[in-house]
C-alpha cells in the first residue's frame, strides 16, 4: 500500500512540472498600430524630401542674391567714383561761376565807363554837333574817328556784358546739375546696395530656418522609423512565440 502512494505522488509531480515550459507571451501590437506607424514614417519621410527641396531652392536663391549683391557693390563703388567726379565738377563749376560773375562785373563797369564818357552833365554827345564844330578837314576826320571808336567801344562793352551773363548762367546751371547728379548717384547706389543686402539677409535667414526644420523633421523621421521597427520586432517575437507554442 505504501508503494502505491509513492508511485501516485511521483505521477502527480511529473504532471505538474512539464519538461519544456514556455515563457510568457511577448507584446503583440495590433495591425492598426503597425499600419499607423508605417503611415507616419512615410509622411515624415515626404516632409524630409520636401524640406530638402526647399533647402536646395533657398541655397540657389542665396547664390543669386549674393551675385546681385556683388553687382550692387560694384555699382556702389562706381557711384562713389562718380560722386567724387561730380564733387570735383561741382567745385570746378562753382569756380567757373565765380569767374563768370567777375566777368559780368567787369563788363558792367565797362558799360558804366562808356556811359560816363558818353554823357556830359546829363546830355548825350551829339555826333553831328561834334562834326560841325570841326575847324578843318583834318579835325573832322579825327573827330569822326573818335565817334566811331566810342560807338565801337559801346558795342563791345555791351557784347562783353551779354557774353559774361550767358557764361555765368551756363556755369550756374552746370553747377546745379553737378550737385543733382552727385546726389542722385549716391542715393541710387545706396538704395541698390541696401536692397541687395536685405535680399541676401532674407535668403540666409530662410536657409537657417529650413535647415532647422529639416533637422527637426529628420529627428521625427528617425523616431518614426524606430517606432515602426519596434512594433515590427514585437510582432515577429510574438509570431515566433506562437510558433513555438
Amino acid at each position: 500500500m505504501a508503494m502505491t502512494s509513492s508511485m501516485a505522488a511521483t505521477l502527480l509531480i511529473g504532471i505538474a512540472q512539464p519538461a519544456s515550459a514556455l515563457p510568457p507571451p511577448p507584446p503583440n501590437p495590433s495591425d492598426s498600430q503597425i499600419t499607423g506607424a508605417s503611415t507616419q514614417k512615410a509622411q515624415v519621410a515626404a516632409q524630409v524630401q520636401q524640406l530638402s527641396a526647399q533647402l536646395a531652392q533657398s541655397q540657389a536663391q542665396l547664390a543669386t542674391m549674393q551675385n546681385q549683391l556683388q553687382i550692387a557693390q560694384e555699382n556702389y563703388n562706381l557711384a562713389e567714383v562718380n560722386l567724387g567726379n561730380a564733387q570735383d565738377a561741382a567745385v570746378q563749376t562753382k569756380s567757373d561761376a565765380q569767374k563768370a560773375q567777375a566777368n559780368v562785373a567787369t563788363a558792367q563797369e565797362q558799360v558804366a565807363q562808356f556811359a560816363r564818357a558818353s554823357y556830359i552833365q546829363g546830355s548825350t554827345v551829339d555826333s553831328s554837333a561834334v562834326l560841325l564844330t570841326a575847324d578843318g578837314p583834318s579835325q573832322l576826320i579825327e573827330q569822326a574817328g573818335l565817334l566811331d571808336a566810342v560807338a565801337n567801344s559801346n558795342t563791345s562793352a555791351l557784347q562783353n556784358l551779354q557774353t559774361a551773363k550767358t557764361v555765368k548762367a551756363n556755369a550756374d546751371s552746370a553747377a546745379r546739375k553737378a550737385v543733382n547728379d552727385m546726389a542722385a548717384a549716391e542715393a541710387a547706389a545706396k538704395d541698390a546696395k541696401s536692397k541687395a543686402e536685405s535680399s541676401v539677409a532674407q535668403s540666409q535667414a530662410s536657409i537657417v530656418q529650413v535647415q532647422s526644420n529639416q533637422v527637426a523633421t529628420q529627428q521625427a523621421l528617425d523616431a518614426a522609423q524606430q517606432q515602426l521597427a519596434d512594433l515590427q520586432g514585437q510582432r515577429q517575437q510574438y509570431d515566433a512565440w506562437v510558433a513555438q507554442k
Side-chain angles (χ1 to χ4, degrees), residues 193-207:
K193 183 180 179 182
S194 176
K195 289 181 178 178
E197 289 175 343
S198 177
S199 297
V200 169
Q202 291 177 359
S203 297
Q204 291 175 335
S206 176
I207 287 180

Side-chain angles (χ1 to χ4, degrees), residues 106-155:
T106 300
Q108 288 175 337
E109 178 62 24
Q110 290 175 352
V111 173
Q113 289 177 358
F114 173 78
R116 287 192 296 269
S118 299
Y119 293 90
I120 301 175
Q121 296 180 354
S123 299
T124 305
V125 176
D126 188 354
S127 60
S128 60
V130 172
L131 294 177
L132 289 175
T133 57
D135 294 335
S138 60
Q139 189 177 5
L140 178 63
I141 294 173
E142 181 180 353
Q143 291 179 351
L146 177 61
L147 290 176
D148 289 340
V150 170
N152 291 334
S153 176
N154 181 30
T155 302

Side-chain angles (χ1 to χ4, degrees), residues 62-162:
L62 176 61
T64 301
M65 293 300 101
Q66 287 176 334
N67 184 51
Q68 292 181 0
L69 176 59
Q70 182 178 0
I71 295 175
Q73 182 65 50
E74 293 174 356
N75 291 336
Y76 180 76
N77 294 338
L78 178 60
E80 285 292 315
V81 174
N82 293 336
L83 176 60
N85 294 336
Q87 289 173 336
D88 293 340
V91 172
Q92 181 62 43
T93 51
K94 182 178 180 180
S95 176
D96 294 341
Q98 291 173 346
K99 290 179 181 178
Q101 179 61 42
N103 292 335
V104 170
T106 300
Q108 288 175 337
E109 178 62 24
Q110 290 175 352
V111 173
Q113 289 177 358
F114 173 78
R116 287 192 296 269
S118 299
Y119 293 90
I120 301 175
Q121 296 180 354
S123 299
T124 305
V125 176
D126 188 354
S127 60
S128 60
V130 172
L131 294 177
L132 289 175
T133 57
D135 294 335
S138 60
Q139 189 177 5
L140 178 63
I141 294 173
E142 181 180 353
Q143 291 179 351
L146 177 61
L147 290 176
D148 289 340
V150 170
N152 291 334
S153 176
N154 181 30
T155 302
S156 176
L158 292 175
Q159 289 178 346
N160 290 340
L161 176 59
Q162 184 62 38

Side-chain angles (χ1 to χ4, degrees), residues 4 30 33-34 38 71 79 90 111 113 120-121 124 143-144 165 170 174-175 202 215 226 232 243:
T4 303
S30 65
Q33 288 179 315
I34 296 177
S38 179
I71 295 175
V111 173
Q113 289 177 358
I120 301 175
Q121 296 180 354
T124 305
Q143 291 179 351
K165 288 183 177 180
N170 293 336
Q202 291 177 359
V215 170
Q226 184 62 45
Q232 290 174 339

Side-chain angles (χ1 to χ4, degrees), residues 5-6 8 24 28 35 43 49 59 100 108 110 127 185-186 188 196 234-235 237:
S5 298
S6 177
N28 181 25
T35 301
Q43 292 175 348
Q49 292 180 351
Q59 289 174 337
Q108 288 175 337
Q110 290 175 352
S127 60
E186 184 178 17
Q234 291 175 9
R235 172 60 64 85
Q237 290 177 359

